[in-house]
Amino acid sequence: MIISIIGGTDGLGKWFARYLKGKGFDVIVTGRDVEKGKKVERELGVKFINDNIEAAKKADIVIIAVPINVTEKVIKEVAPHVRDGCLLMDITSIKEIPTKAMEEYANKNVVIIPTHPMFGPSAPSLFGQVIILTPLERHKNTEWFKKVYNFLKKEGAKIIITTPEKHDRIMAVVQGLTHFSFISLAYTLKELNVDIKESRKYSSPVYELMLSIIARIIGQNPYLYADIQMFNKRIGEIHKTFINCCLELSNVVKNKDREKFVKIMKEAAKHFGSEAKRGVYYSDKAIFALTNELNRLVDMIGEEVAIRNIDSNNVHFGILKGVDGDYLILDKNGKLEKFNVLRVEVFDGEKLKELKKRYLKRIYFDVSVLLKDNVDENTILDLLKSKFDIEIIDVYKGENIEKGWKSVTFRIFGYKKDELREKEKEFIKIIKNIGGKLRY
């Protein structure tokens, strides 16, 4: 099956190109920048075509993944060339405009499933992610709809099926109001000339969370966020209500009307109902998670750890020397390096062992010992595994072995010669303490 992603060289389009290629599909991507397209072709193992119409003609599934402001134009260009019996989708954040365009310009025998993935390109997979499907009734009973639904379900996505109109009405709040309010907060802090770094020194957990959410939003593609505000025709009434509420609350504070302020808060809490308590639990969990993570890191100081950068996936090994504000200090063979706490995962214990085996070159030494014939060498091995990366490679009885004894050859792994020499001394000491002896 061939999937063409129109606009698949960047953002969520590129994310789906990588993901679907990894699931065994043949993927074609298009994009305006030929150099970038060729780079993505090499990086992902997909095919790049600098022609939207040609890509649409070749595909069983065509996915429109271009910016919102050109989505309607691209659909008008591409949709008439999607073959009868094939599937046309889009993954933009609004649904009424692209749905109308696809229905108008695509052939009648093309199945149309407008789609809104509620996540960004940093998501690790579809597992646990919300995907909204807004097909018209005539497309819901098709084989294509069943295939898409079953694929998403198998991948662990949370699927919501609704109408384009209801989607845009809810998204005007879920995305529109959320983005508008937090961007307004960021703009306010900028106009007040607040030193963000300095303010963190005085921050409560709630302020810290607020700053993190603001930073997350304003750090995204501003053109995408502008389009979400400007192309959802239901946003205007949301803005009007929000601004009126802000003005009313401001006047209540200005007039020192304490009872009115309390009434507004109580009425809002009543409207939230049980969700108010859930929100407290949810934010508590986020706050506690950050605190517990820092406490865990402090407890690990002086220990060997693995640090994985969540942006690059690069893994580093060394001794954790300390935690300095937002940074970890790692001793990598005498060289100190800093890593941002918020952009890494830190592992010790069994996960550390697993990562070392995966990323580092192991070296080893073999040592043969004599054990009493009635000793179970596998029991000894299980005990030694708590201290060593070890296996048995040979058990021998016979010529040159004293009667009542057997020779057992162990292989002990490590990553540095000095480390292995120390392990050898420790191993021999343990063997002698349990009544064994070196063979040579």
Side-chain angles (χ1 to χ4, degrees):
M1 186 176 292
I2 298 173
I3 300 177
S4 285
I5 302 178
I6 311 301
T9 60
D10 209 352
L12 203 54
K14 182 180 177 182
W15 187 95
F16 272 103
R18 176 185 283 109
Y19 195 82
L20 294 170
K21 177 66 178 178
K23 295 298 173 180
F25 295 99
D26 290 328
V27 177
I28 297 171
V29 298
T30 74
R32 292 176 299 174
D33 188 326
V34 174
E35 187 176 336
K36 180 190 283 188
K38 290 296 183 182
K39 183 179 178 182
V40 171
E41 183 176 64
R42 293 190 298 271
E43 178 188 345
L44 304 186
V46 299
K47 182 176 179 58
F48 170 72
I49 297 178
N50 189 28
D51 186 325
N52 291 342
I53 291 174
E54 184 186 350
K57 288 178 177 178
K58 290 178 178 292
D60 303 294
I61 300 174
V62 178
I63 300 174
I64 309 294
V66 297
I68 295 171
N69 66 315
V70 295
T71 293
E72 189 174 13
K73 176 185 174 184
V74 171
I75 289 172
K76 186 176 180 180
E77 172 197 8
V78 167
H81 303 282
V82 178
R83 291 180 284 111
D84 282 352
C86 292
L87 172 63
L88 176 61
M89 306 174 73
D90 80 293
I91 55 170
T92 47
S93 301
I94 60 170
K95 291 276 75 79
E96 288 180 275
I97 291 174
T99 300
K100 183 180 177 182
M102 288 189 286
E103 290 289 341
E104 181 178 350
Y105 296 111
N107 298 323
K108 296 306 176 187
N109 292 324
V110 171
V111 175
I112 295 168
I113 306 179
T115 304
H116 183 188
M118 292 295 293
F119 58 88
S122 62
S125 72
L126 286 175
F127 185 81
Q129 303 294 342
V130 174
I131 303 274
I132 304 172
L133 307 177
T134 65
L136 300 187
E137 284 299 323
R138 71 185 185 91
H139 299 294
K140 286 184 181 178
N141 294 321
T142 62
E143 284 300 312
W144 274 120
F145 184 81
K146 292 175 187 175
K147 286 180 180 179
V148 170
Y149 183 90
N150 290 335
F151 174 79
L152 294 174
K153 189 173 183 180
K154 182 181 176 183
E155 295 301 308
K158 298 175 182 176
I159 308 164
I160 296 174
I161 303 169
T162 187
T163 65
E165 295 77 17
K166 185 175 180 180
H167 169 277
D168 282 7
R169 190 165 59 248
I170 292 174
M171 283 303 115
V173 173
V174 172
Q175 288 188 315
L177 178 58
T178 301
H179 298 167
F180 185 76
S181 59
F182 278 105
I183 293 168
S184 297
L185 284 169
Y187 190 30
T188 302
L189 292 171
K190 176 257 179 187
E191 289 297 295
L192 292 172
N193 198 28
V194 173
D195 185 326
I196 304 300
K197 190 172 184 179
E198 176 71 13
S199 73
R200 283 187 183 275
K201 296 177 182 177
Y202 305 86
S203 69
S204 65
V206 172
Y207 180 75
E208 187 74 36
L209 276 178
M210 183 192 76
L211 285 183
S212 299
I213 296 170
I214 290 173
R216 183 180 182 87
I217 288 174
I218 62 173
Q220 305 299 317
N221 182 347
Y223 291 100
L224 169 63
Y225 280 64
D227 289 347
I228 289 172
Q229 294 293 320
M230 296 172 190
F231 283 86
N232 186 332
K233 61 186 180 182
R234 302 171 190 277
I235 287 286
E237 61 185 277
I238 302 295
H239 286 181
K240 184 178 178 181
T241 303
F242 175 69
I243 291 167
N244 287 339
C245 288
C246 288
L247 289 172
E248 182 183 357
L249 193 57
S250 178
N251 283 327
V252 167
V253 173
K254 181 180 178 181
N255 296 328
K256 293 185 170 55
D257 190 343
R258 193 164 180 261
E259 292 306 314
K260 178 68 172 176
F261 189 97
V262 169
K263 182 182 178 183
I264 289 172
M265 279 193 67
K266 283 185 174 179
E267 286 178 350
K270 184 178 179 181
H271 178 75
F272 268 64
S274 62
E275 291 299 311
K277 186 174 288 186
R278 182 181 182 274
V280 172
Y281 294 156
Y282 197 89
S283 56
D284 278 349
K285 196 171 184 67
I287 292 165
F288 292 154
L290 288 171
T291 304
N292 290 339
E293 174 72 5
L294 287 174
N295 290 338
R296 174 175 167 265
L297 292 173
V298 169
D299 289 341
M300 292 165 69
I301 291 174
E303 296 181 7
E304 184 182 16
V305 296
I307 292 179
R308 186 180 75 85
N309 186 307
I310 62 177
D311 297 315
S312 66
N313 270 330
N314 291 336
V315 178
H316 307 264
F317 300 92
I319 304 298
L320 183 61
K321 299 297 289 185
V323 182
D324 181 13
D326 286 341
Y327 291 90
L328 301 176
I329 302 170
L330 187 71
D331 184 345
K332 294 175 64 177
N333 296 321
K335 181 183 177 182
L336 298 182
E337 289 191 25
K338 280 189 172 184
F339 297 87
N340 191 317
V341 173
L342 302 175
R343 305 308 299 162
V344 299
E345 291 179 294
V346 183
F347 304 101
D348 61 355
E350 291 303 314
K351 186 64 177 179
L352 169 63
K353 292 178 184 177
E354 177 190 323
L355 290 170
K356 287 177 76 171
K357 285 182 181 179
R358 188 188 308 173
Y359 290 100
L360 297 181
K361 182 180 179 181
R362 290 200 298 172
I363 57 177
Y364 62 87
F365 71 88
D366 295 338
V367 57
S368 295
V369 301
L370 296 174
L371 298 175
K372 288 284 189 179
D373 202 18
N374 60 353
V375 171
D376 182 357
E377 64 274 8
N378 289 311
T379 300
I380 301 297
L381 178 65
D382 288 340
L383 293 171
L384 291 171
K385 280 182 176 178
S386 64
K387 298 186 70 67
F388 305 100
D389 183 3
I390 189 170
E391 62 184 35
I392 292 173
I393 63 169
D394 184 58
V395 179
Y396 173 72
K397 300 178 190 176
E399 191 176 346
N400 299 325
I401 302 298
E402 186 179 345
K403 187 176 180 180
W405 292 77
K406 59 185 171 184
S407 171
V408 182
T409 302
F410 293 90
R411 176 165 289 173
I412 301 175
F413 296 90
Y415 301 92
K416 300 175 186 175
K417 290 182 179 179
D418 291 346
E419 173 193 7
L420 276 180
R421 279 194 286 268
E422 291 303 314
K423 287 181 181 292
E424 183 175 16
K425 291 177 186 177
E426 188 177 3
F427 172 80
I428 292 169
K429 183 178 178 181
I430 291 171
I431 290 297
K432 288 181 177 179
N433 282 336
I434 62 173
K437 52 189 179 182
L438 288 177
R439 180 177 175 188
Y440 300 112

